[in-house]
Amino acid sequence: MKIERIELVHVRLPLVGRFRTSFGTDTGRDTFLLRVVGGETEGWAEFGGDPDPLYCSEFAASARLALRDHLVPRVVRLGDVSAAAVGPAVAAVKGHRLAKAVLETAVLDAELRSYGMSFATYLGAVRDRVPAGVSVGIADSVPELIDDVAGYLGEGYARIKLKIEPGWDVEPVRAVRAEFGDDLPLQVDANTAYSLADAEHLRRLDEFGLLLIEQPLAEDDLRGHAALAGRLRTPICLDESITSARDAATALELGACRVINVKPARVGGYLEARRVHDVAAASGVPVWCGGMLETGVGRAANLALAALPGFVLPGDVSASGRYYAEDLTPPFVLDGGHLNVPDGPGIGVDVLPGPLSRHTVSRHDLYTR
Ligand code: NPQ
Ligand code: MG
């Protein structure tokens, strides 16, 4: 494929409710889409980060500069561009995995659309629907949290993830177990809010039969996670710490985790995400698909990944309505607690012009031939 144009579309969408984590509160999603046009085809992808470097070191403005000045020129210079060639072309650039991911994914979408092949088929999906989990933000009070969880269970969600932080951990988990019972698939996500000195406190979560505790310690603290793992019954799952398949192999070798949250953006794209899946599967380690408050553009591709055989736990793949009153694509809706995996060409959904224009802040050409 010869690339004719790469356009960055800055979008801003209000969230249906506030989303609070241990690193901040969001009331809207502010990100960008990349549109790659080449020959008879075009592809779309969504940046998986945020305007602030709080979840990870990258942010929307850093990705925009990395793409404009370093990544796009290296890829366009290839002449005949394929998704498989993007990673090698940008490998000399250190880091910037979220920026690399959005570029590779847009090229992959364009390429697969030109063959009429779906992401699901390309990645090796073995299911046509996946169970939907939901990530529940920190609430102002326990009764409000119980209301939030009851609402999601009423909609059919198959698994609940509670965001936790010091001061909001044992009590909310105890209350959710007391209200909804021991059979509810339940897990927690600390987004790096604890230290190893909190090990005895975190051990109090062991009595609640959680599926896992996600990223309790700092992203660069594999040794600490391994030490903590020796003191908890609850399996540790890593999110922020895993930025590549090699990281996954290292973390498993060190005993730093027993479960991995796979986010394509964090590891540099869907090709590396599949390699993380393969590394985990080779060790019999379960993985699940994480989420970054994606619009339908990112959500569609995540559903394809979540349909791979090693994705044995429900992911943070929720319906569009979990976050957005109006999505940028036809909305993804729950069907018996599941979401259908798109089977059309590429990501399998189209960006809707009306919603896109209503939520567009600005458009910029990063490249025109
Ligand atoms: C996680 N996601 O698993 C992340 C964290 C997260 C669904 O829990 C804007 C962009 C806001 C990305 C808030 C879920 C975000 C974000 C939280 C990612 O750790
Ligand atoms: Mg997480």
Side-chain angles (χ1 to χ4, degrees):
M1 175 176 70
K2 193 146 183 79
I3 294 181
E4 280 157 21
R5 185 172 179 199
I6 299 182
E7 193 184 7
L8 183 153
V9 185
H10 180 180
V11 296
R12 197 179 288 146
L13 292 83
L15 294 178
V16 293
R18 281 180 306 150
F19 185 57
R20 181 172 157 206
T21 66
S22 64
F23 60 82
T25 303
D26 275 295
T27 56
R29 174 114 170 96
D30 189 324
T31 187
F32 63 84
L33 306 181
L34 220 54
R35 173 174 170 252
V36 169
V37 183
E40 327 282 54
T41 180
E42 71 172 42
W44 289 85
E46 176 175 345
F47 176 64
D50 199 48
D52 300 310
L54 301 178
Y55 164 80
C56 68
S57 65
E58 283 185 81
F59 52 104
S62 77
R64 192 164 150 168
L65 281 183
L67 284 160
R68 189 192 70 186
D69 296 345
H70 303 286
L71 305 177
V72 164
R74 280 175 156 81
V75 167
V76 168
R77 215 181 290 142
L78 292 171
D80 186 21
V81 177
S82 67
V86 170
V90 300
V93 175
K94 305 287 196 288
H96 299 283
R97 288 185 168 88
L98 277 75
K100 290 174 180 177
V102 68
L103 179 55
E104 182 190 82
T105 306
V107 171
L108 181 57
D109 184 41
E111 187 178 333
L112 292 178
R113 283 176 195 265
S114 78
Y115 310 150
M117 183 187 285
S118 69
F119 261 55
T121 297
Y122 175 80
L123 292 172
V126 295
R127 288 180 275 268
D128 58 9
R129 61 204 287 266
V130 297
V134 62
S135 178
V136 184
I138 294 166
D140 289 336
S141 68
V142 167
E144 285 166 89
L145 176 72
I146 297 298
D147 275 359
D148 292 345
V149 172
Y152 293 127
L153 294 177
E155 290 179 51
Y157 282 101
R159 182 225 71 187
I160 298 290
K161 164 169 134 180
L162 302 181
K163 290 293 189 177
I164 61 167
E165 65 182 4
W168 182 265
D169 43 35
V170 176
E171 288 323 307
V173 169
R174 185 192 306 286
V176 167
R177 272 285 181 242
E179 183 74 23
F180 304 105
D182 291 339
D183 291 339
L184 170 67
L186 182 64
Q187 63 193 55
V188 294
D189 185 0
N191 288 110
T192 75
Y194 295 86
S195 76
L196 198 50
D198 298 311
E200 278 312 296
H201 179 73
L202 292 172
R203 238 151 72 91
R204 297 175 61 198
L205 291 171
D206 276 347
E207 68 175 281
F208 302 109
L210 301 176
L211 290 166
L212 55 91
I213 175 170
E214 183 178 344
Q215 198 70 42
L217 310 180
E219 64 178 12
D220 58 356
D221 194 6
L222 290 182
R223 187 199 63 87
H225 281 100
L228 184 61
R231 297 172 65 176
L232 300 186
R233 258 201 330 266
T234 308
I236 291 178
C237 170
L238 290 177
D239 172 357
E240 285 89 331
S241 292
I242 306 298
T243 68
S244 65
R246 180 186 289 148
D247 278 353
T250 304
L252 294 177
E253 177 70 29
L254 293 176
C257 66
R258 284 198 272 154
V259 185
I260 295 174
N261 168 340
V262 183
K263 284 181 186 164
R266 199 191 62 227
V267 301
Y270 287 85
L271 303 186
E272 187 71 5
R274 184 169 56 183
R275 290 189 280 267
V276 175
H277 161 274
D278 294 348
V279 163
S283 300
V285 165
V287 303
W288 53 280
C289 182
M292 296 295 281
L293 283 57
E294 289 86 355
T295 73
V297 175
R299 194 166 301 281
N302 282 354
L303 283 164
L305 184 71
L308 267 60
F311 284 76
V312 296
L313 291 169
D316 285 341
V317 283
S318 306
S320 297
R322 158 68 183 91
Y323 295 113
Y324 304 110
E326 177 182 69
D327 206 338
L328 300 178
T329 63
F332 288 92
V333 294
L334 286 180
D335 177 8
H338 287 67
L339 290 166
N340 289 323
V341 177
D343 59 3
I347 61 173
V349 291
D350 290 320
V351 177
L352 298 170
L356 181 65
S357 72
R358 279 191 283 284
H359 300 294
T360 293
V361 178
S362 56
R363 305 178 76 124
H364 310 267
D365 277 323
L366 296 183
Y367 173 78
T368 48
R369 189 142 66 96

